[in-house]
Amino acid sequence: MTVKKKDVRALTKEQLRQFFVDKGEKPFRGNQVHEWLWQKSAHSFDGMTNLSLSARTMLQEHFVINHIKVDQMQRSSDGTIKNAVRLHDDLVVESVLIPTKTRTTACVSSQVGCSLDCTFCATSRLKRMRNLNPDEIYDQVVAMDNESRLYFDRPLSNIVFMGMGEPLMNYNNVLKAIDKITSPEGLGMSPKRITVSTSGVPKLIKRMADEQVRFKLAVSLHSAIDAIRTSIMPFNATFTLADLREALIYWYAKTKSRITYEYVVWEGINDTQKDVDALVAFCRFAPSKVNLIEYNPIDDGKFKQAGNAALQMYQRTLEANDITVTVRRSRGKDIDAACGQLANKS
Ligand code: SAH
């Protein structure tokens, strides 16, 4: 019988040290392996050159390294890069690297598919297959950091959890990945440069607040009126705006970190003054900022981006109420890399 070997990156540094102690080796071997795995992102045990051959063989006998593989890389005419990322069990997720004048932002996936059913999002058509492991999230970031250095001559500056999946539905692994990304023993990035975007799971927003996380929070709101939000984001029937609002008040009280709302304005859905007024009222509960994002059509033509008049009404009303508002243009549309377009088409 063959026993399936465990991924060595599921072990903590302490467990790695213990592994070597149990084998009659020095515990510091565990530190060396930990450094190879995370700081140096080793893909194999062979490459761990400061370990003895016997130590490497020991590792080989017990563990595997299930590193991701960038199967295909597409480049958009605007410089955006989309990676199709193959996992060890042959499932595929996508991640996107977005360069601007001053930043390069990595958009990472947290799940294969998604269990939410937002009607305007291409990923919702893929069934949720499984959660990504912390190392699979970490690997996406490392791959894009390398690409950023190679193509744009600078390291990654920001990370957004806006790829496939709902990060809070994979809470533990996402937080573990962020720990490694921000740790000096990992990539050492500042948590302030990381944004977790969620459709809003109230209980878990509160839990993040309790854990005093230091990354930023973005909420995909799209409507501050329950009936409308439920019609486009059906899970809102369970996690209602009142619950969300309460959780966000709690978040701000604990973290003092401003919330960003992502919001698309669609023709005939949320493009009236009443919709803006509801949004303004929602924003009053905690310091917030609204990011008006461009709609990226996902081919069935049910949704249509509202025209300039509606967008200007939103901008005007929000600004008149002292709410910061930004308008975000889509990037990478020509290669289906923009928000809501990730669906493993190729
Ligand atoms: N599940 C998380 C993160 C993934 S979606 C969340 O809901 O926040 C990233 C962002 O893209 C969300 O704000 C989402 O509402 C938005 N989005 C989804 N489909 C879109 C589309 N077709 N056009 C524009 N934005 C879209």
Side-chain angles (χ1 to χ4, degrees), residues 20 53 71 123 130 167 207 221 228-229 238 249 252 273 309 320 329 334 346:
F20 283 106
L53 181 61
D71 245 9
T123 307
R130 70 168 171 88
R207 187 163 150 205
L221 194 62
I228 296 175
R229 193 164 193 261
T238 319
I249 293 168
Y252 187 77
Q273 187 70 48
R329 296 250 138 260
D334 55 339
S346 43

Side-chain angles (χ1 to χ4, degrees), residues 149-207:
R149 289 167 199 269
L150 183 64
Y151 295 106
F152 311 118
D153 257 337
R154 58 192 184 200
L156 211 59
S157 62
N158 297 74
I159 300 172
V160 294
F161 281 80
M162 295 187 190
M164 292 174 158
E166 166 51 47
L168 296 195
M169 296 289 194
N170 185 15
Y171 186 94
N172 288 329
N173 292 350
V174 166
L175 265 72
K176 274 189 197 160
I178 293 176
D179 264 351
K180 279 284 190 298
I181 292 166
T182 53
S183 160
E185 294 190 338
L187 295 177
M189 276 184 77
S190 163
K192 296 204 167 60
R193 295 179 171 277
I194 301 176
T195 301
V196 170
S197 174
T198 175
S199 287
V201 187
K203 179 175 91 204
L204 296 174
I205 291 174
K206 284 188 181 169
R207 187 163 150 205

Side-chain angles (χ1 to χ4, degrees), residues 120-121 162-163 165-166 197-199 220 222 262 294-296 339-340:
F120 49 82
C121 178
M162 295 187 190
E166 166 51 47
S197 174
T198 175
S199 287
S220 302
H222 303 306
E262 291 155 276
E294 195 183 330
Y295 175 57
N296 303 304
C339 274

